[in-house]
């Protein structure tokens, strides 16, 4: 069994910074791409950023230049450094990952979500 746990959400003022963390544990053979999504009530989940095993990154347009995704493969952990936060960044943030439990078995996992609130 695999568990994905995200954390680090908080209440912060506009212009502030936060760092989210996402840790995978359990029966892990290999972690492939890791993602951060966000969701506000009444809307679908939006891709914030992704990072492959070899470090290639993709960012959603609203966060380019402000957010940075990274990972520590030795710790099975991904991070999302969020700088210059804006009220429109307010959302529940979810970590997601493509994880292999064996050489030929890959599954997609979601963490429980961590709330970020940015006040003006």
């Amino acid at each position: 069994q695999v568990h994905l746990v995200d954390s680090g959400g908080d209440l912060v003022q506009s212009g502030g910074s936060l760092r989210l963390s996402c840790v995978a544990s359990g029966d892990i053979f290999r972690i492939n791409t890791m993602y951060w999504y966000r969701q506000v009530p009444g809307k679908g989940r939006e891709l914030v950023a992704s990072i492959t095993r070899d470090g290639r990154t993709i960012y959603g347009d609203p966060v380019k230049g402000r957010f940075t995704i990274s990972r520590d493969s030795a710790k099975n952990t991904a991070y999302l450094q969020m700088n210059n936060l804006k009220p429109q960044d307010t959302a529940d943030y979810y970590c997601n990952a493509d994880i292999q439990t064996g050489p030929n078995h890959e599954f997609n996992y979601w963490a429980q979500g961590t709330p970020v609130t940015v006040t003006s």
Side-chain angles (χ1 to χ4, degrees):
Q1 208 168 12
V2 173
H3 298 280
L4 205 59
V5 177
D6 50 22
S7 62
D10 206 343
L11 176 69
V12 63
Q13 286 190 332
S14 182
S17 297
L18 282 175
R19 190 175 83 153
L20 306 183
S21 299
C22 172
V23 182
S25 62
D27 188 19
I28 297 170
F29 176 77
R30 181 184 294 133
I31 301 176
N32 293 318
T33 303
M34 301 187 80
Y35 312 81
W36 285 99
Y37 286 83
R38 67 186 182 186
Q39 186 173 26
V40 297
K43 293 189 176 182
R45 288 187 184 179
E46 171 190 31
L47 178 65
V48 175
S50 65
I51 184 167
T52 64
R53 285 183 62 234
D54 58 0
R56 287 177 287 127
T57 58
I58 293 175
Y59 294 95
D61 286 341
V63 308
K64 284 181 181 176
R66 299 188 297 122
F67 291 11
T68 302
I69 189 171
S70 61
R71 64 192 287 174
D72 184 336
S73 294
K75 296 181 179 179
N76 290 340
T77 300
Y79 305 97
L80 184 68
Q81 178 66 42
M82 305 187 293
N83 297 329
N84 189 22
L85 282 160
K86 304 176 181 181
Q88 52 265 45
D89 294 318
T90 295
D92 290 323
Y93 284 71
Y94 296 88
C95 178
N96 177 273
D98 296 322
I99 299 176
Q100 289 178 250
T101 57
N104 300 309
H105 297 88
E106 182 184 82
F107 302 93
N108 184 262
Y109 295 89
W110 287 96
Q112 80 284 3
T114 185
V116 172
T117 303
V118 184
T119 61
S120 57

